[in-house]
Amino acid sequence: MRLRTLGQLSVEGMTFRREKVLLLLAYLCIEGPQARRRLAELFWPDAANPMNSLAQHLVHLRSLPGALIEDGTRVASGMVCDACTLRAAIREGRHADAVAEYDGAYLDGLTVPLGPDLEEWLYETREALARETRGALIVLATQAAAHGHATQAADLAARALTVGGAPPADELELPKLWHLLSLTGHPLAAQVEREARDLGLTLHAAPVPPATPFVGREAPLRILTHLAPGHVAWITGHAGMGKTALIEALARSGGWSVLHGQDSAPFATLDPLTRQRPSAAGAVSSVLRDPRLRVALDVWEATDGASRQLIEDTARERRGAALVITSRLHPAFDVDVHLQLDVLTPDDLRDHPGLYERTEGHPTLVAAALRGQPLDVRQGARVRALPAPVRDTYLMLALQDAPDLRATRRATGMGADAFALTLSHLTQEGLTAEGGHVYAAAAARDLLEQVPVHAKLLHLKLARALSGPAAWPHYEAARDLWEDSDEDGAAVAAGLRAADLLKRGYPGRAAELLDAFADRTDLAVQHAWALLGVGRYAEALARLEGLGSQEQQTVGAAVARATALVRLGRADEAVQLASRVSGSGPEAARAASVLAGAAFLRGEWEDARRHSQVAADVWQVHGNREARLTELAFVAKAKVRLGGAPAETFRDVLEESRGVPSVRGTALVNYAQVLIDIGQADLADPVMVEALTELDRAGDQLGLAATQINLGVRRHLQGRLGEAAQHYRLAVVTLQGTGNIRHLGLALSNLSEIDGDLSAFEDSLSLLVGAGQHDLVALIRRNTTLGDGDPLRALPS
């Protein structure tokens, strides 16, 4: 149950018409526990037996659940009351909730006769609650004004001025209300101005609302708004972190005198606080000692020395005006509040989707974005004003996703001292964070696009200074400016980048990168592995066979050639090469995997199991968990061919590969295939669906495509041709950008069979022939007659 006292007097959810009983309940709710005799004398001062009257009313209160709590000579109420809820919300800073409770004057429309003391209590409580509601509305209005929402602020101020049951606004409220109403020229502003001037109050012009709303900084703004008289708040932050914007927001909330640091003459900064230029410190000092004054000073370091000294002296006394000071430096003296501004957080910008991602929360860029101004234009003016070495350092940092400070210093040609000072300068200017991270680097890169030749030169300097795969993107961007001496460095960087791509499972991107270096023998083996990864087996073999006889004899080239041969179905040649590899290094593991592949092609399951196990053991020695688990999946596949139960055989590798989605996905595909091969196809479907989830999580495009093809084959064989076609088409889409012609041709040929399109079928086979997939073409022609035959599965590699 809930007692309603604002604008009415009733109990929610029931009809209770005893007005005096409810009045007694309202009194207990808002005043707390009371002595029985005190209540009797207050409510029935003229009754012959006040205690008896009270007792009769308490009988009625007992009929309302939770309304009455009795403790000997004292009584209280346990019922929820809207007026109490309002006051609790104000105490907790929930001003919007408090305002929502106020439906009208307290106990408005009460008709029962009241004694003089009770009547006085009623009017005092009514005015107090109305005034508290007005205060809550003024707080909400100042917050709206601070954030640049002038219309909302004026509307709230108008509501505050006209709160039912409230007394006229006083000398503290009138200037605030006038300030808020003046933001939009509200009609009530003139009325408030007349009332204020009749009281002799001085009204200051309201700041012009900003063109864009002020976002974020709610917590600092709340702290500053409630700064006590005599207290000092110091706001620190690098350039562009929003110190001035916070001061302007504070000014819009009303009641603050905003000063801007200037050093033209003694006391020039504090001069606006007095009616005439002061000739001595005492003239300003008396103003600063006024506890009603609230002063915000922007830029301490630009303030004249006399004003600074006087502010320090006043601050030490901790009496007088509330002071807020902004500075790039830490406090020059003891303060009560120290706020350090940094970039805004995603939560600060939650009402503006996508804004944090564009700006990284940099306040200057946030303001520009809210104005619709291109970020490169906003940053461009600041960057162009930097000295050339500092500007180039900033741009080189922006060109790197994760700035390498050591390499950047080498690229700039600076010594350690000069570079450290440059970084400090960029941080102080708010252009970079500590550690060299550039805020919203994309905007800086957009700026560089306007000077493409200079951008390429900076890329080249970085490429020469960086090491490892990180150098390649910069070499690539600066290709037009390469000198002869850059060719070898670029090739090394490309090779390292390709190795990184292969390790992370992007053979298509690695192949595309190394296609541009097809004339370099030092990249041939790596290029071949990338080509193998995308199914361009014939090209990989041709790349290796283009090497000189001496290069072909290296272990790395021999193993890569053997892998290409086994993928092309030339098992005997592959075995001949792989059998020559000895030792216990990574190449030995790859050679064992080739021997296992050849055994699978021949149907020699025990040999396949044995060689895959050898490969797995070698990879374990080298700590390559993913490669080991991949081989163990093939061990399990061979064991099933030898008569093992699929679920039991694959259990360990599937369990161990949890958390390694690329390996687990491949293992699941193999598991599904053996289930199909031994006639348990119905059990394979959920396994392949799980494989799709794992491979998608891993970003394994080839694995995803192969699984989609195999699911298509299942539906194809079941006669569910529409679903089969959908899986084949998904495979085709997934294969885009991978360069894997083998899988693409397989999907297209199976799809064309469903469509009955002979021309498309032949085009698919021509595509495969052009890629050197002669074995696959022969298999398709042998096993598939258009419209009559079985579609072919994609085999995991």
Side-chain angles (χ1 to χ4, degrees):
M1 284 189 175
R2 189 167 186 263
L3 180 65
R4 300 294 302 275
T5 63
L6 298 170
Q8 57 183 296
L9 181 58
S10 64
V11 177
E12 286 183 352
M14 67 178 301
T15 301
F16 192 93
R17 303 188 184 280
R18 297 181 179 275
E19 203 172 35
K20 189 104 179 220
V21 173
L22 292 181
L23 175 61
L24 175 61
L25 179 59
Y27 185 89
L28 290 172
C29 283
I30 207 159
E31 296 295 338
Q34 299 291 316
R36 292 175 185 263
R37 184 163 298 281
R38 160 69 180 150
L39 290 174
E41 293 172 353
L42 178 65
F43 276 77
W44 296 275
D46 300 325
N49 190 343
M51 291 296 288
N52 185 57
S53 298
L54 172 64
Q56 293 177 20
H57 283 72
L58 293 180
V59 169
H60 294 295
L61 274 184
R62 293 186 188 103
S63 68
L64 299 175
L68 192 62
I69 300 173
E70 300 180 81
D71 181 16
T73 61
R74 298 175 68 82
V75 292
S77 174
M79 184 173 285
V80 176
C81 170
D82 55 359
C84 299
T85 301
L86 182 149
R87 283 183 161 170
I90 291 175
R91 285 196 303 271
E92 295 167 8
R94 296 182 289 108
H95 298 97
D97 293 341
V99 168
E101 288 288 345
Y102 198 83
D103 284 340
Y106 183 67
L107 301 182
D108 194 26
L110 194 67
T111 61
V112 295
L114 305 176
D117 290 344
L118 189 57
E119 185 176 47
E120 181 180 357
W121 167 83
L122 172 61
Y123 286 117
E124 285 180 355
T125 305
R126 178 177 291 169
E127 286 193 357
L129 286 166
R131 188 183 292 278
E132 290 166 28
T133 302
R134 174 186 287 161
L137 282 162
I138 290 175
V139 169
L140 293 174
T142 58
Q143 290 173 351
H147 286 78
H149 305 306
T151 300
Q152 182 185 0
D155 290 343
L156 288 165
R159 286 178 60 189
L161 188 65
T162 57
V163 169
D170 61 22
E171 66 276 8
L172 295 177
E173 295 169 328
L174 284 171
K176 282 189 175 183
L177 289 168
W178 179 83
H179 168 94
L180 295 164
L181 292 165
S182 298
L183 291 173
T184 58
H186 195 283
L188 288 176
Q191 171 191 326
V192 174
E193 183 177 10
R194 287 193 301 271
E195 294 176 9
R197 297 201 186 283
D198 288 346
L199 293 175
L201 301 175
T202 301
L203 301 176
H204 301 286
V208 177
T212 54
F214 176 77
V215 299
R217 308 292 191 214
E218 277 78 7
L221 191 59
R222 192 181 309 114
I223 292 170
L224 298 178
T225 301
H226 295 92
L227 194 66
H231 283 205
V232 182
W234 192 283
I235 305 171
T236 303
H238 298 311
M241 288 298 115
K243 301 184 296 297
T244 299
L246 183 56
I247 289 294
E248 291 173 350
L250 194 62
R252 288 193 296 275
S253 70
W256 288 85
S257 298
V258 178
L259 307 176
H260 298 281
Q262 48 185 311
D263 199 15
S264 57
F267 301 110
T269 302
L270 295 175
D271 180 42
L273 295 179
T274 62
R275 295 182 181 274
Q276 57 186 2
R277 181 174 294 279
S279 58
V284 185
S285 179
S286 61
V287 176
L288 287 178
R289 287 193 172 90
D290 184 351
R292 296 171 299 176
L293 186 64
R294 299 167 75 77
V295 178
L297 169 59
D298 196 22
V299 192
W300 173 259
E301 45 267 39
T303 301
D304 65 275
S307 293
R308 283 198 284 186
Q309 187 60 55
L310 184 56
I311 289 171
E312 283 193 51
D313 293 343
T314 304
R316 287 193 185 95
E317 296 176 8
R318 288 298 190 274
R319 62 188 180 90
L323 296 172
V324 174
I325 300 169
T326 74
S327 173
R328 292 190 184 185
L329 308 174
H330 282 266
F333 49 87
D334 288 339
V335 297
D336 301 285
V337 176
H338 182 201
L339 301 175
Q340 300 188 62
L341 301 189
D342 204 339
V343 294
L344 298 166
T345 67
D347 190 55
D348 292 328
L349 303 178
R350 62 185 178 279
D351 294 332
H352 301 271
L355 186 57
Y356 180 82
E357 288 72 19
R358 291 178 57 201
T359 64
E360 292 190 37
H362 193 292
T364 300
L365 299 178
V366 167
L370 289 173
R371 287 194 297 269
Q373 184 179 13
L375 300 189
D376 61 318
V377 172
R378 182 65 187 87
Q379 286 291 70
R382 299 179 68 201
V383 173
R384 280 189 287 272
L386 297 171
V390 178
R391 181 178 63 246
D392 282 356
T393 301
Y394 168 78
L395 293 173
M396 280 194 274
L397 290 170
L399 288 174
Q400 303 171 70
D401 293 329
D404 183 328
L405 295 184
R406 189 173 182 181
T408 306
R409 184 195 64 75
R410 288 197 298 268
T412 63
M414 295 183 188
D417 290 346
F419 187 67
L421 288 173
T422 298
L423 288 178
S424 177
H425 181 64
L426 289 172
T427 302
Q428 287 292 327
E429 288 299 315
L431 293 169
T432 65
E434 298 289 346
H437 172 76
V438 172
Y439 296 115
R445 293 169 190 163
D446 291 342
L447 177 65
L448 265 173
E449 288 182 2
Q450 302 170 25
V451 282
V453 175
H454 189 63
K456 290 178 182 179
L457 180 59
L458 295 180
H459 273 297
L460 185 58
K461 288 182 177 180
L462 274 173
R464 290 168 174 171
L466 287 163
S467 59
W472 170 249
H474 301 287
Y475 271 120
E476 186 177 33
R479 189 185 292 270
D480 294 342
L481 299 185
W482 286 4
E483 298 177 2
D484 291 344
S485 58
D486 292 311
E487 296 286 345
D488 288 340
V492 170
L496 292 170
R497 175 69 169 170
D500 183 61
L501 289 168
L502 285 170
K503 183 178 180 180
R504 293 191 291 121
Y506 297 99
R509 289 162 60 182
E512 183 180 359
L513 190 162
L514 294 176
D515 282 346
F517 293 89
D519 59 332
R520 293 192 66 101
T521 58
D522 55 334
L523 294 177
V525 173
Q526 198 168 36
H527 191 189
W529 282 116
L531 294 170
L532 289 169
V534 295
R536 292 160 62 183
Y537 306 144
E539 291 178 65
L541 185 60
R543 181 76 164 95
L544 294 165
E545 289 181 343
L547 293 172
S549 58
Q550 187 172 353
E551 287 91 352
Q552 286 191 37
Q553 299 305 313
T554 63
V555 174
V559 171
R561 284 181 65 209
T563 303
L565 288 166
V566 80
R567 299 279 177 87
L568 287 168
R570 294 159 63 177
D572 292 343
E573 297 171 77
V575 168
Q576 187 177 7
L577 277 174
S579 297
R580 298 175 188 169
V581 178
S582 60
S584 58
E587 300 303 341
R590 295 188 179 98
S593 188
V594 169
L595 295 174
F600 271 112
L601 286 175
R602 294 168 172 164
E604 298 169 350
W605 313 124
E606 177 54 33
D607 284 349
R609 182 207 62 76
R610 180 166 52 84
H611 290 304
S612 289
Q613 185 66 60
V614 169
D617 292 342
V618 175
W619 284 126
Q620 184 172 23
V621 170
H622 289 276
N624 191 327
R625 183 188 176 205
E626 293 190 18
R628 170 181 169 269
L629 290 171
T630 299
E631 291 296 337
L632 287 178
F634 288 109
V635 169
K637 183 176 180 180
K639 285 182 176 180
V640 173
R641 294 289 192 174
L642 291 167
E648 182 180 346
T649 303
F650 272 88
R651 181 173 52 246
D652 289 345
V653 69
L654 289 175
E655 184 61 34
E656 195 173 347
S657 61
R658 289 188 185 278
V660 190
S662 59
V663 176
R664 182 172 168 79
T666 301
L668 286 166
V669 171
N670 279 286
Y671 180 33
Q673 286 183 348
V674 297
L675 287 172
I676 293 171
D677 291 343
I678 66 172
Q680 298 180 16
D682 291 343
L683 299 177
D685 285 359
V687 175
M688 281 195 282
V689 171
E690 185 181 354
L692 283 177
T693 302
E694 293 286 351
L695 293 167
D696 183 56
R697 185 179 296 128
D700 187 339
Q701 299 299 96
L702 293 179
L704 274 171
T707 308
Q708 290 287 5
I709 291 171
N710 290 344
L711 278 168
V713 170
R714 280 282 299 135
R715 302 296 175 260
H716 202 152
L717 294 172
Q718 292 169 337
R720 295 154 65 177
L721 300 184
E723 294 179 47
Q726 181 65 17
H727 283 297
Y728 293 146
R729 291 190 180 99
L730 284 172
V732 170
V733 171
T734 304
L735 286 166
Q736 289 178 2
T738 65
N740 193 302
I741 301 300
R742 186 179 182 90
H743 283 8
L744 181 62
L746 199 56
L748 290 173
S749 64
N750 287 347
L751 184 60
S752 62
E753 181 180 349
I754 290 175
D755 294 339
D757 189 339
L758 181 60
S759 175
F761 180 76
E762 291 297 336
D763 288 344
S764 300
L765 297 188
S766 297
L767 178 70
L768 291 167
V769 170
Q773 300 289 335
H774 302 287
D775 65 317
L776 182 58
V777 171
L779 187 60
I780 291 172
R781 289 200 181 279
R782 184 167 62 248
N783 291 348
T784 307
T785 302
L786 193 64
D788 179 25
D790 289 344
L792 292 181
R793 294 198 312 250
L795 298 176
S797 58

